[in-house]
Amino acid sequence: MLRSEINEIIRQGREFMASFGFTLPPFANWSPHQLVESGQPGIIDANLGWDITDYNQGKFNDLGLLLFTLRNGNSNNLKTGKGMLYAEKLMISRKNQLTPMHRHIVKTEDIINRGGGRLVLELFMVDENGGVDHDAPVQVLSDGNIVKLPPGGKLSLNPGQSVPLLPEVWHA
């Protein structure tokens, strides 16, 4: 992607978040140069800030995601019994934009639709080898309600709705 395209996606993301009354931290407005020059290890080492991905497919509008990482723990700290394994990320998925199937092996991921359109998640359980289980039904807790879906079932979240996804759930 060209830097001008990246800058425009970030500009649109800032505008979108502001439209929902979400104020980003000051470093959200720093240029890449300012970020490096700041020498702030809490920002740099935790990989905080903007992230734009097209999953190396070159088709951002079809398969991509805009993220802003506010907090990010380090899994290496778990071995020493310190730190946090927690991340808080704002993610903007455009209409009809897809995210590849994935899961987090160690941490729970809270998916909260803060605004915009409906977010649809395709869900599978994990098989005994860590892969996708195409036969097991899925059960998740969404806003205090147990939701049961068939394998590959789609969970639709309207603005304000949420679901915590545990490590045993694959999602896209």
Side-chain angles (χ1 to χ4, degrees), residues 4 9 21 29 31 36 40-41 48 62 72 77-78 90 105 108-109 117 120 132 143 145 149 153-154 160-161 163 170:
S4 59
I9 292 167
N29 298 311
S31 70
V36 171
Q40 296 293 324
L48 303 184
D62 298 320
N72 203 14
N77 290 337
L78 287 180
L90 298 171
I105 295 172
T108 297
E109 183 175 23
V120 180
V132 174
D143 298 320
N145 298 303
L149 299 167
K154 292 182 173 51
Q161 293 182 301
V163 62
W170 282 91

Side-chain angles (χ1 to χ4, degrees), residues 126-157:
V126 173
D127 67 18
E128 63 274 358
N129 298 316
V132 174
D133 189 329
H134 293 279
D135 299 317
V138 176
Q139 183 172 303
V140 293
L141 191 63
S142 178
D143 298 320
N145 298 303
I146 295 172
V147 178
K148 296 178 182 182
L149 299 167
K154 292 182 173 51
L155 177 66
S156 180
L157 299 175

Side-chain angles (χ1 to χ4, degrees), residues 34 47 60 72-73 78 111 118 124 150 157 161 163 165 169:
Q34 287 173 305
N47 295 312
F60 177 78
N72 203 14
L78 287 180
I111 304 295
R118 184 172 9 139
F124 290 91
L157 299 175
Q161 293 182 301
V163 62
L165 296 177
V169 179

Side-chain angles (χ1 to χ4, degrees), residues 15-72:
E15 202 172 272
F16 183 73
M17 289 177 198
S19 76
F20 294 99
F22 194 94
T23 302
L24 293 166
F27 68 88
N29 298 311
W30 294 355
S31 70
H33 177 74
Q34 287 173 305
L35 188 60
V36 171
E37 290 296 312
S38 76
Q40 296 293 324
I43 296 172
I44 297 166
D45 294 348
N47 295 312
L48 303 184
W50 296 103
D51 184 14
I52 298 171
T53 184
D54 63 6
Y55 305 100
N56 291 322
Q57 301 297 308
K59 302 182 290 185
F60 177 78
N61 289 326
D62 298 320
L63 188 69
L65 193 62
L66 170 62
L67 302 98
F68 186 85
T69 303
L70 294 145
R71 292 163 190 71
N72 203 14

